[in-house]
Amino acid sequence: MATVSAGTYVAVTQTCSHEPKKAIIFNKTEFYCTQHGARFDLTGKGKNSFGSGGLTVYKVATDGKTLVVYS
Ligand code: FES
């Protein structure tokens, strides 16, 4: 789960699509895998060859108090 700007959240799997490692972090503006450097945009689209498999993005809903992540 990342706060990409105030009040805007994006939830993605922690498991990389390159190899099944739980190494995805949010790095300023994109998701990044600390294992080999796969990069993904906020929609889960790969930004380099390691990220070409994309990243699963979950739906997020909030009423300002409660945050719900669903698929
Ligand atoms: S396991 Fe994520 S880039 Fe290789």
Side-chain angles (χ1 to χ4, degrees):
M1 173 70 67
T3 303
V4 296
S5 63
T8 304
Y9 305 93
V10 176
V12 301
T13 181
Q14 276 193 298
T15 305
C16 189
S17 58
H18 174 232
E19 290 176 10
K21 310 233 187 247
K22 289 188 189 282
I24 302 294
I25 62 166
F26 184 65
N27 183 28
K28 297 187 181 117
T29 59
E30 64 183 18
F31 293 99
Y32 175 75
C33 179
T34 59
Q35 290 292 308
H36 311 107
R39 296 168 59 210
F40 307 91
D41 70 14
L42 298 181
T43 69
K45 191 166 166 248
K47 295 176 77 172
N48 61 7
S49 60
F50 283 127
S52 61
L55 195 64
T56 301
V57 177
Y58 299 107
K59 294 177 182 148
V60 173
T62 182
D63 63 2
K65 291 184 187 155
T66 304
L67 189 68
V68 179
V69 176
Y70 61 106
S71 58

